[in-house]
Amino acid sequence: MLSVSNAEATILQLIQPLDSHINTEVIDLLTASGRILASPVTSQLDFPHWDNSAMDGYAVRYEDVRDCNEEKPVVLEIIEEISAGVQPKSIIQSGKAARILTGAIMPVGADTVVMQERTRREENQVFILATPKPKEFVRQQASYYKAGSPLLPSGIVLNAQEIAVLAAVQCTKLKVFRRPRVAILSTGDELVTPETPLQAGQIVDSNQYAIAALVQQMGAEAIMLGIVRDEPTALEEAIAYALTQADIIISSGGVSVGDYDYVEQILESLGGKIHVRSVAMKPGKPLTVATFPPSSPSHSPIYFGLPGNPAAVLVTFWRFVQPAIKKLSGLAEGWEPKFIKARASQELRSDGKRETYVWGQMRLSDGIYYFYPASGVQNSGNLINLAQTNSLAVLPVGKTLVATGEEVHVLIQ
């Protein structure tokens, strides 16, 4: 049985990001939200594109206004008014000024903007009532970004702010990593779909729906393969098919030591190499991870056999599968599990024999994070009190009690 940290290290070492030369596609900017950039972006535009005004006011020569105040204002002749989107027509010479609005191009000869609150206008003259700083309120061309230099690196998620930058540089076609394909199947003769009337001894297959939702939330493609009965031939056919369709295969159930748990022997019969068989964690001890020889340069599948109990499925997904999908997807960094320190809102207990995960809510109060465990029984078969949780408190091996107010590490989902 592996420790949690050893299992994590093993899994992340097995996962290799999608090849940026093979596993990519070109998409439109409007469909880029949440996708991962597969090649760096540069632009041939400076930002700002030209010197422009950061304020409504007057474009002047600093030399003309370097020594003035309300008692001794400098008087300049206004020769032009420049609004945003208009090319200036005049050259600002000594004793002259241009009325200028925010975002407008600075006229030739001017190097400073005096904000209008520090001026007084009389017909075609402006009285400068205070000395500005040199180049004040002027956005210099290329001061934000110089054409030809790196703009956005590959391996980042494209969120609203990155998409705004790409739109500004007129980059409307993007090379992104394709979405990872994740095949999902559930094993067990007792399982039925949510639409099926329950008979005695039957259980609704909630695992497949939970896993599919998690996969989709991560921007990957969920391939739902349904329920597979506890019969070796059916399981082998389903897993063999999944291996041809997906980068990652996730099954739930069939990986412990029951009489009808065939998954590991089937994986080996299909050429799989098993790297993880169980992990010293609670819930989630029965976890199987296997790799398969690549069937093509772009396809080298990895298999995750998760436990059957619903809470254990979610905990093992958050702890191991989520970072694996993130790394596979092409993210350059930030795919590791994220932990923060919080204070326990009440006592947290475990038997100390395995690393224990307690689900609940993380809340911020007066700058301090507090962890509130979900009410009710916390065991691997109780799915109900997982609703509305957002984090997992971690009690290490040997730790049987976290007292109220004591610090605890919390895994953010």
Side-chain angles (χ1 to χ4, degrees):
M1 187 186 311
L2 292 177
S3 68
V4 174
S5 59
N6 285 341
E8 176 193 325
T10 298
I11 291 167
L12 291 180
Q13 188 173 23
L14 294 172
I15 295 289
Q16 296 302 317
L18 293 172
D19 191 323
S20 61
H21 298 291
I22 301 172
N23 294 297
T24 60
E25 57 186 344
V26 176
I27 63 171
D28 293 329
L29 183 60
L30 285 174
T31 62
S33 179
R35 302 300 296 271
I36 299 174
L37 196 60
S39 61
V41 174
T42 60
S43 174
Q44 298 310 306
L45 296 173
D46 287 331
F47 279 84
H49 307 318
W50 42 73
D51 291 356
N52 70 88
S53 177
M55 189 71 64
D56 290 351
Y58 294 89
V60 301
R61 289 160 33 99
Y62 178 72
E63 288 297 320
D64 288 345
V65 296
R66 62 186 306 168
D67 185 20
C68 60
N69 52 53
E70 290 191 20
E71 288 73 29
K72 187 182 175 182
V74 170
V75 182
L76 303 174
E77 180 186 358
I78 303 169
I79 61 172
E80 184 177 2
E81 181 163 320
I82 309 167
S83 58
V86 174
Q87 180 67 39
K89 301 179 178 63
S90 306
I91 297 175
I92 304 302
Q93 297 176 336
S94 181
K96 309 295 183 182
R99 169 66 171 157
I100 194 165
L101 302 180
T102 302
I105 300 173
M106 289 289 291
V108 175
D111 57 12
T112 300
V113 172
V114 180
M115 62 188 300
Q116 64 185 21
E117 291 83 353
R118 296 173 182 170
T119 66
R120 184 178 77 251
R121 182 169 180 171
E122 296 181 5
E123 297 182 348
N124 70 331
Q125 291 184 320
V126 60
F127 291 72
I128 310 299
L129 306 177
T131 301
K133 297 176 183 177
K135 300 183 179 179
E136 189 170 25
F137 300 125
V138 176
R139 303 184 186 117
Q140 302 290 323
Q141 180 174 346
S143 59
Y144 302 162
Y145 171 80
K146 184 172 178 59
S149 60
L151 182 63
L152 294 178
S154 61
I156 63 169
V157 178
L158 296 173
N159 294 313
Q161 53 270 44
E162 289 80 23
I163 290 172
V165 169
L166 291 166
V169 303
Q170 300 181 316
C171 181
T172 59
K173 298 289 183 180
L174 303 170
K175 183 179 180 183
V176 298
F177 287 100
R178 67 167 175 80
R179 298 183 189 275
R181 296 186 290 267
V182 181
I184 307 162
L185 57 96
S186 299
T187 67
D189 291 340
E190 75 280 13
L191 299 178
V192 296
T193 65
E195 299 83 10
T196 304
L198 280 177
Q199 304 298 318
Q202 292 182 330
I203 300 172
V204 174
D205 175 23
S206 62
N207 290 345
Q208 189 155 183
Y209 289 84
I211 295 170
L214 289 166
V215 166
Q216 291 166 348
Q217 286 169 11
M218 299 177 65
E221 177 186 350
I223 305 170
M224 298 180 69
L225 299 182
I227 299 168
V228 183
R229 299 302 168 197
D230 283 325
E231 194 279 313
T233 300
L235 280 170
E236 183 169 356
E237 289 177 354
I239 293 172
Y241 175 74
L243 290 171
T244 67
Q245 300 298 306
D247 306 294
I248 291 177
I249 300 90
I250 303 175
S251 70
S252 62
V255 292
S256 61
V257 292
D259 293 340
Y260 299 101
D261 294 337
Y262 307 115
V263 170
E264 287 195 2
Q265 65 189 60
I266 289 171
L267 296 177
E268 292 176 327
S269 72
L270 291 171
K273 180 180 179 181
I274 298 177
H275 302 270
V276 179
R277 296 179 187 271
S278 63
V279 182
M281 65 185 296
K282 182 181 181 179
K285 176 183 173 182
L287 174 71
T288 299
V289 180
T291 54
F292 291 82
S295 58
S296 71
S298 61
H299 188 65
S300 183
I302 184 167
Y303 183 96
F304 287 89
L306 306 186
N309 283 318
V313 165
L314 291 171
V315 170
T316 51
F317 186 98
W318 285 319
R319 188 64 183 85
F320 300 116
V321 183
Q322 182 168 276
I325 294 175
K326 287 182 178 180
K327 183 176 180 182
L328 176 74
S329 68
L331 273 177
E333 58 185 12
W335 31 262
E336 303 90 346
K338 290 182 172 56
F339 296 87
I340 67 171
K341 294 179 181 179
R343 294 182 186 175
S345 67
Q346 63 188 69
E347 288 186 351
L348 307 176
R349 294 182 177 272
S350 81
D351 60 14
K353 296 177 181 179
R354 289 178 277 160
E355 188 165 296
T356 301
Y357 290 76
V358 179
W359 47 92
Q361 282 194 359
M362 180 80 75
R363 301 176 193 168
L364 184 63
S365 177
D366 295 328
I368 299 173
Y369 283 105
Y370 290 89
F371 177 80
Y372 293 79
S375 60
V377 177
Q378 293 217 3
N379 63 45
S380 60
N382 184 11
L383 175 65
I384 300 303
N385 65 355
L386 269 161
Q388 300 183 70
T389 61
N390 61 11
S391 53
L392 299 166
V394 184
L395 279 66
V397 175
K399 183 78 170 179
T400 59
L401 172 66
V402 174
T404 301
E406 186 178 347
E407 191 174 85
V408 63
H409 281 81
V410 179
L411 173 66
I412 304 301
Q413 296 170 4

